Amino acid sequence: MFRSMLRDLVDGPAKAVWVRVGLPPDDIENLWLSEAPDPSVNSSFKLGTAAQSSIGLSALAAAHFHFLRTGQEEEVHVDARHAILEFNSEKYYTIDGKLPGDKLFDELSDIYKTKDGYVRLHTNFSHHKQGLLDILQCEPTKAAISTALAEWSAEEFEAEVFRRHLCAAALRSFEVMDMTPQGIFQTNINPASITRIGDAPKRILTDQGDIQYALEGIRVLDLTRVLAGPICGRTLAAHGADVLLVTSPHLPSLPFLDVETSRGKRTTQLDLDVPADAEKLRELLRDADVFLQSYRPGGLAERGFGPEACAAMRPGIVHASLSAFSPGGPWMDVKSFDSLVQTLGGFNVQEAEAYADYIRETCGEEEAATLPPYRALPMQALDHAAGYLLAFGIAAALCKTVTEGGSWRVHVSLSATLLWIRRLGSLHPLSAFGEGRPLPPRGDVPLDPEIEGVSVTVEQDPGDFGSGEGVGGKGRTMSVIRHAARFASLGIREGKAPMRLDAHRAEWLPRP
């Protein structure tokens, strides 16, 4: 009885998401998670629960698709600490035994004081950085930015940034955010929404007999950038899907992230301003099962690749999208990133208050009084959780194409993901920061033993055109954190790493 009650408590967050999209409630019995997931890291939020639940859900939905094809059930196992480390996968990879020299954030990406509060800037893309400097009319230094922002109100600056479609956020508490129009709107948003958008016959699945991966034979067009969307595509690839990452040769890239999140995929480039390339994307879409995108809201719809247009071109498609804020709300068109949504959504203030309480209890009031009123989470938790929740939603929608037919839209937002994690509850500060283990230092090679223990080596994918060579004239290799979800009998495909965005032709592999 106690064991059953404990499982219900551990599985509860995952089960709530699972049944909300209409999947069979009893299937959650096949999900095995760590019984004491928190604190898995030094945070006041239940990030261990969020990590193991979102990763577990994505694998369990893929396993359900496999069941619909073969009649074979699969158990899914996820360790919370491994899941936490995978939530930092971009931090710990190496190429040819060396850590990449790039950093996750540009040097100007930081929190700055205003005349009445604080704002966080996001300057990783050069055009975003220049746009913010144009507003502030200052030099590209932290000192100059600090001086300029001292003349601004935090929310007035944020409003101007939003108006210009740039990226910054005012620091807010939960209480303040909840009273904004956006906070009121998002109260009842699901972490993953699945909506039928068109009619199509039921998908016919045949058991070919030698299926190694849950999503083997599924074709995914991946038009995503930065972190959350690419993590979703990488997860689908780990479950066996043929994921073709399509990027533009003219848009800025983030090589530090792209190299790690593109592993397991094939990569190609198309310029949608060129009619022949736009037609090539339509051709690929007609033979795809999933259209996955994370560009600005409406950006691809303006080019004819919105959900309804894709469903018309390819009945039975699963059209999946990720954005900062959910459709229909006052901020639905706002550009943002994980660090900014943490800031404006209340996480940075709540984490800072909890940490201050911990320092007050352990070191005294005097030291607690020196702490800033903001503290970031120890990882890009919104990006990672959203990516896995989106992969879960896609696999769930693929199941619906089998059981119900139709074309489906899946949507996940960073803000809805924040709300989901917030509702998981918080930890006592002494437990969160006294018992929660910090992440291993990135340091240097060799990597921390804990990271080495959950890492695997993948080879470079030479692609269709050949690639550069690594150490000793051989193809390059990557050390990466392996996927935290494991099946009882199905495999997880770690795959190869293209290490470039134009390694393959714009075509599908033959279906098995």
Side-chain angles (χ1 to χ4, degrees), residues 217-221 241-243 287-291 508-511:
I218 293 297
R219 291 172 169 173
V220 180
L221 268 177
D242 177 15
V243 180
D287 288 324
D289 301 294
V290 177
F291 186 93
W508 293 115
L509 296 175
R511 292 188 192 268

Side-chain angles (χ1 to χ4, degrees), residues 214-289:
L215 297 181
E216 194 170 314
I218 293 297
R219 291 172 169 173
V220 180
L221 268 177
D222 181 347
L223 283 80
T224 63
R225 306 174 73 200
V226 191
L227 204 48
I231 286 169
C232 172
R234 188 187 70 193
T235 305
L236 298 174
H239 293 310
D242 177 15
V243 180
L244 184 61
L245 175 62
V246 181
T247 56
S248 168
H250 302 304
L251 289 178
S253 61
L254 294 171
F256 174 71
L257 296 178
D258 297 336
V259 167
E260 200 273 334
T261 58
S262 63
R263 57 187 170 90
K265 308 176 186 180
R266 295 181 302 118
T267 64
T268 195
Q269 293 195 311
L270 296 174
D271 183 353
L272 298 188
D273 290 328
V274 176
D277 282 9
E279 179 54 36
K280 170 57 71 172
L281 186 61
R282 286 188 283 271
E283 177 186 324
L284 291 167
L285 171 62
R286 294 185 188 104
D287 288 324
D289 301 294

Side-chain angles (χ1 to χ4, degrees), residues 3 13 23 53 63 65 68 138 183 211 223 273 331 335 452 488:
R3 175 77 173 176
L23 293 175
S53 297
F65 183 82
L68 293 175
C138 72
I211 296 175
L223 283 80
D273 290 328
W331 287 355
K335 291 182 179 180
E452 289 191 337

Side-chain angles (χ1 to χ4, degrees), residues 127-141:
H127 61 294
H128 290 165
K129 180 192 294 188
Q130 188 56 55
L132 294 173
L133 293 173
D134 289 344
I135 295 175
L136 295 172
Q137 294 292 296
C138 72
E139 294 298 312
T141 67

Side-chain angles (χ1 to χ4, degrees), residues 98-300:
K98 298 179 180 179
L99 287 165
D102 297 333
K103 296 180 179 179
L104 182 59
F105 289 106
D106 176 76
E107 62 182 1
L108 299 183
S109 291
D110 207 344
I111 283 192
Y112 297 85
K113 199 171 188 324
T114 67
K115 67 182 182 181
D116 62 352
Y118 294 84
V119 294
R120 185 184 292 278
L121 308 188
H122 194 285
T123 58
N124 282 11
F125 288 112
S126 58
H127 61 294
H128 290 165
K129 180 192 294 188
Q130 188 56 55
L132 294 173
L133 293 173
D134 289 344
I135 295 175
L136 295 172
Q137 294 292 296
C138 72
E139 294 298 312
T141 67
K142 283 192 169 184
I145 291 172
S146 296
T147 299
L149 279 170
E151 303 298 319
W152 282 84
S153 156
E155 291 194 10
E156 287 177 355
F157 180 75
E158 179 189 71
E160 181 62 18
V161 167
F162 287 0
R163 189 183 69 80
R164 298 196 191 195
H165 303 291
L166 298 170
C167 299
L171 181 69
R172 292 180 178 84
S173 65
F174 284 151
E175 293 76 16
V176 172
M177 182 61 194
D178 289 346
M179 295 302 293
T180 66
Q182 175 64 33
I184 295 169
F185 166 80
Q186 67 186 23
T187 300
N188 296 314
I189 298 293
N190 292 334
S193 68
I194 304 177
T195 308
R196 184 168 177 148
I197 57 172
D199 294 328
K202 292 182 180 180
R203 181 188 298 271
I204 304 299
L205 295 176
T206 57
D207 183 358
Q208 293 93 352
D210 187 25
I211 296 175
Q212 299 180 45
Y213 307 106
L215 297 181
E216 194 170 314
I218 293 297
R219 291 172 169 173
V220 180
L221 268 177
D222 181 347
L223 283 80
T224 63
R225 306 174 73 200
V226 191
L227 204 48
I231 286 169
C232 172
R234 188 187 70 193
T235 305
L236 298 174
H239 293 310
D242 177 15
V243 180
L244 184 61
L245 175 62
V246 181
T247 56
S248 168
H250 302 304
L251 289 178
S253 61
L254 294 171
F256 174 71
L257 296 178
D258 297 336
V259 167
E260 200 273 334
T261 58
S262 63
R263 57 187 170 90
K265 308 176 186 180
R266 295 181 302 118
T267 64
T268 195
Q269 293 195 311
L270 296 174
D271 183 353
L272 298 188
D273 290 328
V274 176
D277 282 9
E279 179 54 36
K280 170 57 71 172
L281 186 61
R282 286 188 283 271
E283 177 186 324
L284 291 167
L285 171 62
R286 294 185 188 104
D287 288 324
D289 301 294
V290 177
F291 186 93
L292 166 63
Q293 74 88 25
S294 64
Y295 284 85
R296 67 171 177 82
L300 285 175

